Amino acid sequence: MAQTLSSATPTMWQDNIASSGDRRGIRGRPDWSDVLFLVVLALGAAYALNVYSTSMDYYEKIILVAFVPFVAWLGWLWRPLRTLLVLSGLTALLAVWLYSTGDGLGTGDIEKADSVFLLKYLFSSQSAILWMCALFILATVMYWAGFFSNTAAWMGSGLTWAAIYAGMTGLLVRWREGHLLGPDIGHIPVSNLYEVFVLLALITALFYMYYERRYNTRALGGFVLLAISSLVIFLLWYSFTRDAHQIQPLVPALKSWWMKLHVPANFIGYGTFSLAAMVGFAYLVKENGETRSRAKLIPVFLLGAILCAEPMIFGSRELSPTWMLYFGIGSVIVGTILYFRGPISRKLPSLEVLDDIMYRAIAVGFAFFTVATVLGALWAADAWGTYWQWDPKETWALIVWLNYAAWLHLRLLKGLRGTMAAYWALGGLLITSFAFLGVNMFLSGLHSYGEL
């Protein structure tokens, strides 16, 4: 496969997708259910403004009001998202009600998380997030089993949706649990490494599920869920070794409405970049599926092994048995995928489709990462009096931005596609990972809020 696809190719495969792709659940003309969804969102926002207005400043109220049409629009664009939000919201309300029942005041008691059956085993934030982790692992297994059974692939999709539902519910309930601990403790759950790892897993999975439906393929699930499973393994390790799931008060610098915009936008970028990297991996497997030369696969294996080796340095410069085992298993998985690249490649979508998903993911991620960087600069000016200080986190955010800006520039102006684009997307995950975690581990600065 040449590194540059012909300019006529995109039209052909787009026609094929339009004629044969499963587009159920994707944008249609607005109907009564879209209007009902908008009304429900508006009523919820009105209730929040009426009951909790004293807890919100002027800007937070604007964000809440703007949230209503924005989410209604997203629900119209992709209707499965609407179903997810309704189910997660109703479950979170059930959990809030369980916390508030029995005290006669309706204020709630956080201790009920250990005594009420549904909270203890299902709907408290920690229980729901643990269910999310288990379901993502099971989904990964089912997706790979799906290369031999269509039923298993279908179960992989279902388990992924169940994991997203559990994680979304967990974050919503965690928001309420913070307020039950104290009026100065409650905050939107995107403030520390534990919370943003949950958010990153959910965003990556949601974007993948969109592309799975759009392109009518489940074969990519095993690749993308490997990245999400890596996040889950870190999350479990971080939670149980550092007690990271405990809700803590915000540090002064994070007590800002800017966080509600900057962090989600930032992690949409991280999530879509992760998705693009795994699609790039799938592209290289597909491209080399029929070749007998193993030399071409050495760079792919090395990139995969390096990505697997990154967690070995979490928390210490010393080698950890836990992460040595993780690295070993990860390298074996990458090597096994490459060894069985022939049968795997025959199940994967065409190279043109893989290339398009990779491009779309990076384009969306770049747009949101750009917005997040601008919002971060405005937040810095508000908090520290200057837009840019060349703090290590700021510097590496710029490096990430330049990396994907160059990828898109060469794509749009020079026709970058194929092998080089896939290697670049996979290697870009290394840069993104260091900007996300490496800066916190090795470089002190104004953004060192998470410790490993």
Side-chain angles (χ1 to χ4, degrees):
M1 167 60 68
Q3 289 186 3
T4 302
L5 303 175
S6 68
S7 58
T9 301
T11 301
M12 292 187 293
W13 61 256
Q14 284 172 354
D15 290 342
N16 290 335
I17 292 170
S19 62
S20 63
D22 179 3
R23 298 181 60 83
R24 289 173 297 171
I26 301 177
R27 177 174 56 189
R29 298 186 67 177
D31 57 24
W32 66 268
S33 62
D34 296 300
V35 176
L36 179 60
F37 184 56
L38 175 61
V39 170
V40 170
L41 289 173
L43 290 175
Y47 177 81
L49 288 171
N50 182 55
V51 177
Y52 302 109
S53 60
T54 56
S55 301
M56 295 183 284
D57 62 26
Y58 174 77
Y59 297 103
E60 289 170 328
K61 293 176 182 177
I62 293 177
I63 293 173
L64 178 60
V65 172
F67 179 81
V68 172
F70 177 70
V71 173
W73 174 68
L74 289 179
W76 170 64
L77 287 178
W78 188 40
R79 285 175 175 154
L81 180 64
R82 188 178 62 188
T83 304
L84 170 70
L85 293 175
V86 170
L87 291 177
S88 297
L90 290 175
T91 308
L93 288 175
L94 172 61
V96 171
W97 178 77
L98 290 171
Y99 273 120
S100 64
T101 56
D103 59 5
L105 298 175
T107 55
D109 182 1
I110 192 64
E111 298 299 327
K112 292 180 181 178
D114 297 321
S115 59
V116 177
F117 179 85
L118 289 177
L119 291 175
K120 184 175 182 178
Y121 295 105
L122 289 174
F123 300 140
S124 70
S125 65
Q126 181 64 358
S127 297
I129 289 171
L130 287 176
W131 275 111
M132 178 202 77
C133 295
L135 290 167
F136 271 138
I137 296 294
L138 289 173
T140 305
V141 174
M142 287 296 101
Y143 269 124
W144 283 106
F147 282 96
F148 309 98
S149 167
N150 290 332
T151 301
W154 179 87
M155 291 178 64
S157 295
L159 288 168
T160 301
W161 274 117
I164 295 170
Y165 158 74
M168 184 76 71
T169 301
L171 284 183
L172 292 173
V173 176
R174 184 178 176 86
W175 198 343
R176 175 58 179 163
E177 288 173 346
H179 288 280
L180 292 179
L181 289 171
D184 296 328
I185 297 178
H187 56 268
I188 184 173
V190 292
S191 65
N192 56 41
L193 281 179
Y194 176 84
E195 294 166 350
V196 298
F197 257 92
V198 176
L199 180 66
L200 180 57
L202 294 178
I203 288 173
T204 307
L206 271 172
F207 272 95
Y208 166 70
M209 296 309 293
Y210 172 79
Y211 289 118
E212 178 181 279
R213 177 64 68 91
R214 179 180 178 86
Y215 292 90
N216 193 25
T217 177
R218 292 188 173 96
L220 280 175
F223 288 87
V224 178
L225 266 291
L226 281 178
I228 296 174
S229 294
S230 297
L231 297 174
V232 163
I233 291 170
F234 173 87
L235 185 67
L236 293 172
W237 169 82
Y238 190 50
S239 177
F240 289 114
T241 63
R242 307 299 173 87
D243 214 21
H245 65 278
Q246 299 294 335
I247 300 175
Q248 302 293 334
L250 288 175
V251 299
L254 294 179
K255 293 181 178 179
S256 171
W257 61 271
W258 288 104
M259 183 175 69
K260 297 176 174 66
L261 300 174
H262 170 72
V263 175
N266 205 49
F267 279 86
I268 289 175
Y270 284 152
T272 50
F273 295 155
S274 300
L275 170 61
M278 299 314 293
V279 174
F281 182 26
Y283 185 100
L284 296 170
V285 170
K286 175 78 172 180
E287 185 181 44
N288 293 279
E290 303 302 330
T291 182
R292 295 184 179 181
S293 173
R294 292 186 174 89
K296 291 183 178 181
L297 299 175
I298 292 176
V300 187
F301 177 78
L302 289 177
L303 270 175
I306 291 171
L307 285 168
C308 292
E310 280 190 308
M312 291 172 60
I313 56 177
F314 288 154
S316 172
R317 300 298 179 91
E318 301 176 359
L319 295 179
S320 162
T322 301
W323 295 112
M324 284 288 289
L325 180 63
Y326 173 91
F327 166 66
I329 294 174
S331 298
V332 168
I333 290 174
V334 172
T336 302
I337 293 171
L338 296 179
Y339 183 81
F340 291 102
R341 62 192 180 276
I344 290 174
S345 67
R346 288 190 285 273
K347 289 280 189 175
L348 289 171
S350 68
L351 292 175
E352 291 82 2
V353 169
L354 292 172
D355 185 80
D356 186 61
I357 295 174
M358 186 166 50
Y359 162 66
R360 289 174 183 272
I362 289 178
V364 171
F366 181 76
F368 276 94
F369 196 78
T370 301
V371 171
T373 303
V374 173
L375 291 173
L378 294 173
W379 186 3
D382 186 38
W384 301 316
T386 180
Y387 292 98
W388 196 270
Q389 301 186 70
W390 293 105
D391 176 77
K393 198 76 168 182
E394 296 172 346
T395 302
W396 274 93
L398 178 61
I399 292 172
V400 171
W401 188 88
L402 290 173
N403 174 70
Y404 289 105
W407 192 99
L408 288 170
H409 174 79
L410 291 175
R411 167 88 183 198
L412 297 174
L413 297 185
K414 299 296 182 180
L416 176 70
R417 286 177 173 83
T419 307
M420 183 61 188
Y423 272 116
W424 195 335
L426 188 56
L429 188 56
L430 289 171
I431 300 173
T432 304
S433 298
F434 189 85
F436 176 28
L437 285 178
V439 171
N440 289 38
M441 290 187 288
F442 300 115
L443 305 173
S444 62
L446 295 170
H447 291 77
S448 299
Y449 305 125
E451 296 179 359
L452 287 173

